[in-house]
């Protein structure tokens, strides 16, 4: 016995979920709907299966293949988009169906006893038997009257037959003889057409009323309800996962941090990560490789694979498509739908029932009251005040930086050299190598400075005579890793707004530099850090600082920055204590406290009394003692307000020269006096 699965439905009623996904491939508990149909057929001994395709056929072929992975044999028949009842397709199917066969929709979920329905079909000697349910019809809308013997006595379309005994479920059984009597214009894959045509010709038709579970998936609420039914065990479908606790189903390996609250029944996909303090409510389904960040709350939410939910976000009865990113502190209302690949900005609010079509971007703090269908809605600019920033492996991925570097290469002159530097985090180093590969493939030489801070890159770009440079910084924030890409010019300064716009345009137009004649060369430069340290020491009076014997309390999260400062401070005779400023500068008997920012471009200063310098005081101090290089300066130079190490040694040098503690130097009178000179 053979079967045909009708898997060509587009599913307009389920948009935007079905923009790129055929209806039969919608995930139910992280498995395509059609997979349950294949299992049902196999359960009843039907392994030779044809599949009728139309919308996004390759997605179905790629997933199911020849069927051997599922223990069946699949043969595909593709309908033409222009005409639903394509003659060639029907002829091929008719040749395939050379015996009694089952035809079943791939976008329903049912426990129908097909073996019993087949026995009924043969007992009644019907040419066609339609499996009926006493409930609501599925989308083809077949309604029939049957007599006491189960023979169909009347057929109506969806607008009539309100008192009909049964409604179509999308399942019917056929004898091969019907193909010889059907007219060419009748599509036998459409139950309502087939039933009307056969009834008018007086063919014997059966109506088998099933009592087992059946549900169509003809609306978003139904799509959610079917998954609730699966979790509640209202069907006899097996849940392909292990129970971590009663009602808590998990697929494969995953990461669940401390203080995570789980309320069953729910399903968590393979490779998912639930971070500290998340709350996952009953009837939630979390797709594979999905991240739910700290403090987020999900209630009856459905997240498709590889989605991301930011810190403190609430997903309340919503559906989030695959590869979508929902930012921090976002609110998704009841029955809201976020399509594949969307980006929802921080603190945005998507109201109940609103649908956002795939690959749209919602800006930060936006309130979305109406569905977003048209327009690309890309962010206004890739570059912000601090370069390009985003969440690591969500916004900033190896694929993204590869394309970005290719766009950057388009705007560089032939023969350019680009310096690359990254913080010590492994992901930042990985991104650096992705950028390096892309630039070299575009014919751009790269100079790898290694592990370093942004100031080291600024110095290295100049000392290695590069056209520009890129620094990658990863900062660990609660629940995520923030990645920042800094682009600088040949002087180590941020690239101009015009250059940023040119890179953005090339990126959006997908203009990537590529070269087959000349590939860029990779140069590894290990001496930049030593040269940078020596240049720092040349900025100060070493003997005067050694004579003073300064004592500093340093707070810094970056091991690299501390490693960079140690030889400088040791050469200057400065005793450095590493600890938290909260421990107290006074209690450590330090002359000054310093808090270094992770990127090495800024600092905070504290007097020996523990008093923190205000922003205004720090700016005025830097204006007095950290001067910008004069024009025409030969060789590499420092950028005073962008280099914490330079700021620190210059301020210590000036304190020694003025013979004043920091608290006295920053007094209003001293600042006014110095500023007036």
């Amino acid at each position: 016995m053979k079967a045909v699965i009708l898997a060509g439905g587009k599913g307009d009623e389920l948009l935007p979920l079905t923009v790129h996904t055929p209806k039969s491939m919608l995930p139910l508990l992280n498995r395509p709907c059609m997979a349950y149909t294949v299992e049902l057929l196999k359960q009843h001994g039907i392994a030779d299966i044809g599949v009728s395709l139309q919308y996004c056929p390759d997605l179905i072929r790629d997933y199911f293949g020849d069927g051997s992975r599922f223990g069946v044999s699949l043969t595909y028949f593709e309908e033409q988009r222009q005409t639903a009842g394509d003659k060639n397709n029907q002829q091929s199917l008719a040749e395939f169906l050379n015996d009694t066969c089952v035809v079943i929709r791939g976008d329903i979920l049912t426990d129908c006893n097909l073996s019993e329905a087949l026995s009924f079909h043969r007992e009644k000697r019907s040419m066609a038997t339609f499996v009926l349910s006493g409930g609501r019809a599925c989308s083809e809308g077949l309604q029939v009257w049957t007599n006491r013997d189960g023979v169909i006595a009347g057929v109506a379309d969806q607008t009539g037959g309100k008192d009909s005994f049964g409604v179509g479920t999308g399942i019917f059984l056929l004898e091969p003889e019907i193909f010889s009597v059907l007219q060419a214009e009748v599509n036998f894959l459409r139950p309502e057409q087939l039933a009307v045509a056969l009834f008018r010709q007086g063919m014997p038709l059966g109506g088998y009323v099933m009592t087992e579970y059946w549900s169509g998936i003809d609306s978003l609420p139904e799509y959610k309800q079917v998954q609730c039914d699966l979790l509640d065990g209202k069907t006899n479908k097996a849940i392909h996962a292990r129970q971590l606790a009663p009602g808590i189903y998990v697929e494969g390996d995953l990461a669940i941090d401390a203080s995570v609250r789980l309320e069953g029944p729910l399903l968590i996909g393979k490779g998912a990560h639930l971070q500290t303090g998340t709350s996952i409510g009953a009837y939630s389904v979390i797709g594979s490789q999905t991240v739910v960040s700290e403090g987020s709350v999900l209630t009856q939410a459905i997240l498709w694979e590889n989605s991301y939910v930011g810190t403190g976000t609430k997903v309340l009865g919503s559906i989030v498509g695959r590869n979508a990113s929902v930012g921090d502190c976002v609110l998704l209302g009841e029955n809201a739908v976020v399509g594949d690949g969307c980006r929802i900005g921080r603190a945005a609010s998507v109201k109940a029932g609103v649908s956002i079509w795939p690959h749209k971007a919602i800006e930060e703090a936006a309130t979305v009251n109406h569905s977003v269908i048209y327009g690309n809605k890309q962010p206004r600019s890739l570059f912000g005040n601090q370069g390009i920033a985003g969440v690591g492996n969500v916004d900033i991925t190896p694929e993204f930086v590869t394309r970005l570097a290719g766009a950057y290469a388009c705007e560089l002159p032939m023969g350019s050299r680009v310096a690359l530097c990254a913080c010590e985090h492994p992901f930042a180093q990985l991104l650096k190598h992705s950028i390096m590969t892309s630039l070299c493939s575009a014919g751009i030489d790269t100079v790898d400075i290694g592990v370093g801070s942004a100031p080291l890159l600024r110095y290295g770009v100049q000392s290695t005579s590069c056209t520009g440079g890129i620094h990658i910084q990863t900062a660990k924030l609660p629940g995520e890793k923030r990645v920042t890409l800094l682009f600088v010019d040949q002087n180590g300064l941020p690239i101009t707004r015009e250059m940023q716009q040119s890179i953005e345009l090339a990126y959006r137009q997908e203009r990537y530099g590529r070269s087959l004649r000349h590939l860029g060369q990779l140069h590894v430069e290990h001496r930049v850090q030593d040269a940078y340290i020596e240049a720092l020491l040349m900025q100060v009076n070493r003997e005067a600082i050694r004579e003073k014997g300064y004592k500093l309390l340093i707070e810094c999260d970056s091991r690299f920055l501390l490693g960079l400062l140690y030889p400088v401070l040791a050469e200057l005779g400065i005793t450095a204590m590493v600890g938290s400023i909260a421990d107290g500068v006074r209690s450590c008997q330090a002359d000054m406290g310093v808090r270094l920012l992770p990127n090495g471009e800024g600092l905070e200063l504290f007097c020996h009394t523990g008093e923190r310098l205000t922003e205004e005081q720090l700016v005025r101090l830097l204006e007095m003692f950290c001067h910008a290089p004069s024009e025409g300066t030969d060789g590499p130079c420092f950028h005073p307000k962008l280099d914490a190490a330079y700021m620190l040694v210059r301020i210590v040098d000036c304190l020694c020269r003025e013979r004043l503690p920091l608290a006295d130097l920053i007094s209003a009178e001293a600042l006014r006096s110095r500023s007036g000179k």
Side-chain angles (χ1 to χ4, degrees):
M1 186 173 178
K2 296 182 179 180
V4 171
I5 298 175
L6 307 180
K10 183 177 181 180
D12 288 340
E13 65 276 10
L14 290 163
L15 290 170
L17 296 179
T18 52
V19 171
H20 301 303
T21 303
K23 194 177 176 184
S24 58
M25 290 297 289
L26 289 177
L28 302 178
L29 298 193
N30 295 341
R31 300 179 68 221
C33 180
M34 182 175 147
Y36 294 96
T37 303
V38 172
E39 281 187 354
L40 178 68
L41 293 170
K42 181 185 175 184
Q43 178 186 340
H44 289 277
I46 305 172
D48 195 359
I49 304 170
V51 183
S52 179
L53 306 174
Q54 183 178 15
Y55 183 65
C56 298
D58 290 339
L59 290 179
I60 299 174
R61 286 196 189 95
D62 292 344
Y63 183 87
F64 289 97
D66 62 2
S68 57
R69 186 161 58 99
F70 301 87
V72 298
S73 175
L74 298 181
T75 304
Y76 297 98
F77 303 90
E78 186 170 348
E79 299 181 31
Q80 299 298 316
R81 293 180 180 275
Q82 292 80 4
T83 58
D86 177 58
K87 185 175 180 180
N88 292 332
N89 183 63
Q90 290 209 147
Q91 184 177 351
S92 299
L93 272 169
E95 294 171 357
F96 174 76
L97 300 176
N98 53 10
D99 195 359
T100 304
C101 66
V102 174
V103 181
I104 182 169
R105 296 179 69 92
D107 54 6
I108 62 173
L109 187 70
T110 182
D111 294 332
C112 178
N113 190 330
L114 296 177
S115 299
E116 189 175 293
L118 178 61
S119 297
F120 176 91
H121 171 74
R122 287 172 173 166
E123 178 187 339
K124 300 302 180 182
R125 298 180 181 276
S126 300
M127 293 294 289
T129 295
F130 296 88
V131 178
L132 309 173
S133 170
R136 189 189 57 78
C138 63
S139 58
E140 82 279 345
L142 174 64
Q143 298 182 356
V144 300
W145 291 269
T146 60
N147 61 24
R148 293 180 180 180
D149 296 327
V151 176
I152 292 179
V155 179
D157 59 19
Q158 199 170 22
T159 59
K162 294 182 179 179
D163 299 324
S164 59
F165 181 87
V167 292
T169 61
I171 308 170
F172 49 103
L173 296 88
L174 301 177
E175 294 297 328
E177 290 79 9
I178 69 165
F179 301 120
S180 61
V181 299
L182 285 177
Q183 298 179 3
E185 65 272 13
V186 177
N187 184 358
F188 73 90
L189 298 181
R190 301 295 182 263
E192 74 284 3
Q193 288 190 28
L194 179 64
V196 171
L198 294 178
F199 184 77
R200 286 176 178 173
Q201 294 188 37
M203 304 287 285
L205 305 179
Y208 171 78
V209 181
M210 63 173 287
T211 57
E212 297 84 11
Y213 178 89
W214 171 87
S215 178
I217 307 174
D218 300 324
S219 67
L220 292 170
E222 282 185 346
Y223 174 66
K224 292 172 61 179
Q225 184 60 48
V226 164
Q227 307 202 60
C228 294
D229 292 345
L230 284 165
L231 288 170
D232 278 336
K234 292 183 178 180
T235 82
N236 62 13
K237 307 299 182 189
I239 297 178
H240 292 250
R242 73 180 191 275
Q243 284 202 65
L244 191 65
I248 309 297
Y249 298 93
V250 297
E251 300 174 328
D253 297 330
L254 68 158
I256 301 179
D257 294 348
S259 303
V260 172
R261 178 179 174 271
L262 302 177
E263 178 187 355
L266 57 80
L267 175 72
I268 306 171
K270 179 181 179 181
H273 185 187
L274 308 184
Q275 296 184 350
T276 303
T278 57
S279 176
I280 314 297
Y283 301 107
S284 293
V285 179
I286 299 176
S288 62
Q289 307 301 324
T290 287
V291 175
V292 182
S293 300
E294 293 184 7
S296 292
V297 176
L298 277 62
T299 61
Q300 203 171 342
I302 298 175
L303 310 181
W304 288 11
E305 63 186 29
N306 201 38
S307 55
Y308 173 85
V309 175
T311 302
T313 285
K314 294 183 178 180
V315 183
L316 309 178
S318 315
I319 303 173
V320 178
R322 61 177 58 87
N323 302 318
S325 173
V326 182
D328 299 343
C329 305
V330 169
L331 174 62
L332 299 184
E334 185 74 23
N335 292 324
V337 180
V338 176
D340 296 346
C342 285
R343 294 289 182 267
I344 310 299
R346 186 182 188 279
S349 176
V350 180
K351 297 300 183 180
V354 168
S355 294
I356 301 176
W357 257 239
H359 305 294
K360 301 296 184 291
I362 304 300
E363 294 181 358
E364 291 189 4
T367 298
V368 186
N369 295 302
H370 304 285
S371 293
V372 180
I373 301 175
Y374 302 105
N376 200 21
K377 293 276 182 183
Q378 290 289 339
R380 287 190 294 265
S381 174
L382 289 175
F383 287 87
N385 294 332
Q386 303 298 323
I388 298 176
V391 179
N393 245 358
V394 177
D395 303 312
I396 310 294
T397 64
E399 296 82 6
F400 168 77
V401 299
T402 298
R403 295 193 300 269
L404 183 68
Y408 177 46
C410 284
E411 306 305 317
L412 295 174
M414 289 297 296
S416 294
R417 286 160 50 97
V418 173
L420 300 175
C421 184
C423 71
E424 62 266 36
H425 195 281
F427 186 68
Q429 292 293 321
L430 183 149
L431 293 178
K432 181 183 71 175
H433 288 287
S434 297
I435 293 172
M436 188 184 304
T437 301
S438 182
L439 290 175
C440 287
S441 71
I444 303 298
D445 290 350
T446 58
V447 178
D448 184 7
I449 296 176
V451 176
S453 62
L456 184 64
L457 173 75
R458 297 182 191 280
Y459 185 88
V461 166
Q462 301 170 76
S463 65
T464 57
S465 303
C466 286
T467 311
I470 303 173
H471 181 263
I472 305 106
Q473 178 74 35
T474 298
K476 182 70 170 66
L477 297 176
E480 65 178 44
K481 288 182 173 64
R482 196 79 175 171
V483 177
T484 302
L485 305 176
L486 174 68
F487 286 71
V488 301
D489 62 16
Q490 69 273 16
N491 298 314
L493 293 171
I495 60 174
T496 64
R497 182 57 190 147
E498 290 73 20
M499 183 62 169
Q500 292 177 3
Q501 290 173 339
S502 297
I503 296 172
E504 288 175 1
L505 183 60
Y507 175 81
R508 299 200 191 287
Q509 293 180 345
E510 298 185 356
R511 290 189 288 110
Y512 307 131
R514 294 291 180 264
S515 175
L516 295 178
R517 296 180 180 178
H518 170 71
L519 296 178
Q521 299 296 310
L522 168 62
H523 305 276
V524 179
E525 182 55 72
H526 296 294
R527 295 171 295 177
V528 172
Q529 182 173 326
D530 293 338
Y532 173 80
I533 290 173
E534 185 58 34
L536 272 180
L537 293 171
M538 293 178 62
Q539 305 297 312
V540 298
N541 186 330
R542 304 187 197 189
E543 295 300 325
I545 298 176
R546 285 197 198 100
E547 182 181 340
K548 173 65 178 174
Y550 248 76
K551 192 175 183 181
L552 297 180
L553 174 62
I554 300 177
E555 179 180 316
C556 179
D557 293 333
S558 171
R559 287 178 295 176
F560 171 79
L561 286 177
L562 289 173
L564 181 71
L565 280 176
Y566 275 146
V568 176
L569 299 179
E571 177 66 23
L572 297 176
I574 297 175
T575 302
M577 298 175 293
V578 179
S580 171
I581 297 296
D583 295 338
V585 180
R586 185 195 294 268
S587 62
C588 294
Q589 297 183 338
D591 295 293
M592 186 166 60
V594 183
R595 177 180 289 137
L596 296 173
L597 302 186
N599 60 6
E601 293 186 307
L603 52 71
E604 297 176 0
L605 291 182
F606 298 81
C607 300
H608 71 280
T609 60
E611 179 185 0
R612 177 180 176 274
L613 269 67
T614 66
E615 188 71 27
E616 179 185 2
Q617 288 173 328
L618 182 59
V619 169
R620 294 174 71 178
L621 193 65
L622 296 176
E623 288 175 348
M624 287 191 294
F625 301 127
C626 300
H627 303 293
S630 58
E631 291 188 19
T633 302
D634 294 331
C637 61
F638 295 95
H639 300 287
K641 296 181 182 180
L642 297 173
D643 191 331
Y646 174 80
M647 289 185 243
L648 179 59
V649 298
R650 284 291 298 161
I651 289 171
V652 171
D653 180 61
C654 294
L655 289 174
C656 291
R657 190 168 62 246
E658 296 291 332
R659 300 182 182 277
L660 288 173
L662 182 61
D664 292 343
L665 186 65
I666 64 170
S667 66
E669 293 78 15
L671 287 178
R672 289 195 198 98
S673 173
R674 296 287 304 182
S675 299
K677 291 183 180 179

